[in-house]
Amino acid sequence: MPGALVPNLSPEAAERLKRVRLLLLDVDGVLTDGGLYYGNSGEEMKRFDVKDGAGMWVAHRNGLEVGLLTGKTSRIVAQRAQELGLTRVVQGAVDKVPALEKLLQDGAYPLNEIAFMGDDVLDLPVMRRVGFSACPSDAHDQVKARVHYVCSKGGGRGAVRELVDLWFEATGRLPEIMKRFGWEEDPHA
Ligand SMILES: [Mg+2]
């Protein structure tokens, strides 16, 4: 049942989100603000949001596996995935549909149990296939017009945490999660 934290989710989209058990994320523009930083020595840097990371950590260990599906390749992404304990990671996926199939080749998840968040038109073919699609608030307009949920927060600025929180709320797991952090009372009650 959608509650106070899911005011913008249609009942149909909420039903779709409830079925999700795997959250796949694009990296640039979703886990980051899309900025690509290069140093003089050719060193590449990305900026990640610590609250996104905490949300992924909690979700990954509480019923929502998290994976990464990105068109670029960098050691930074491999390191971030390792820090968070993510194992379903495909980099260098210019065509993301075959990459999606590779990620799912063990048959652990049917498409309707997968959510994907991307920010640009290259992400649309995967969005069309999975059960639930979302994008950050600063995604491309053609993406924003087609997803089940447009986050109020931007890429690299809490959009991933927003979607994870939405999943906890939609699946009714939020009280259980908060209880683990020592809060049993519902502040909205
Ligand atoms: Mg992107």
Side-chain angles (χ1 to χ4, degrees):
M1 184 185 72
L5 296 178
V6 289
N8 299 320
L9 204 60
S10 72
E12 190 250 340
E15 285 306 311
R16 285 174 167 273
L17 185 58
K18 277 186 206 173
R19 287 194 287 266
V20 167
R21 293 190 302 125
L22 172 65
L23 170 60
L24 295 177
L25 302 167
D26 174 37
V27 175
D28 294 296
V30 171
L31 276 177
T32 77
D33 61 6
L36 300 172
Y37 305 90
Y38 293 100
N40 280 330
S41 58
E43 186 187 14
E44 189 184 344
M45 283 171 277
K46 294 183 194 293
R47 173 196 169 280
F48 296 101
D49 183 287
V50 73
K51 290 191 185 66
D52 282 348
M56 292 160 74
W57 176 273
V58 174
H60 194 65
R61 287 153 184 81
N62 289 281
L64 180 64
E65 182 175 355
V66 180
L68 305 180
L69 182 51
T70 169
K72 287 174 66 67
T73 302
S74 78
R75 275 190 299 159
I76 302 167
V77 171
Q79 185 184 336
R80 188 65 175 146
Q82 192 178 17
E83 281 171 0
L84 297 170
L86 313 182
T87 53
R88 280 181 207 266
V89 178
V90 172
Q91 298 201 66
V94 180
D95 185 344
K96 293 192 178 180
V97 171
L100 174 71
E101 287 163 1
K102 185 179 166 194
L103 273 177
L104 305 177
Q105 62 193 1
D106 63 359
Y109 300 101
L111 287 167
N112 69 347
E113 293 182 4
I114 299 167
F116 179 60
M117 174 143 64
D119 69 311
D120 215 325
V121 293
L122 286 172
D123 300 311
L124 286 172
V126 169
M127 289 174 159
R128 182 152 210 174
R129 282 167 174 79
V130 297
F132 188 88
S133 57
C135 71
S137 61
D138 53 353
H140 191 285
D141 287 344
Q142 293 294 337
V143 173
K144 289 169 79 170
R146 287 169 170 81
V147 292
H148 295 111
Y149 184 72
V150 179
C151 293
S152 65
K153 295 188 169 66
R157 303 276 176 190
V160 170
R161 182 59 172 269
E162 182 179 337
L163 181 56
V164 165
D165 286 346
L166 195 68
W167 182 84
F168 279 128
E169 179 75 22
T171 57
R173 283 176 164 87
L174 194 58
E176 174 196 329
I177 296 299
M178 296 318 294
K179 200 170 165 182
R180 285 188 199 184
F181 292 107
W183 288 84
E184 299 196 20
E185 310 82 10
D186 180 357
H188 300 298

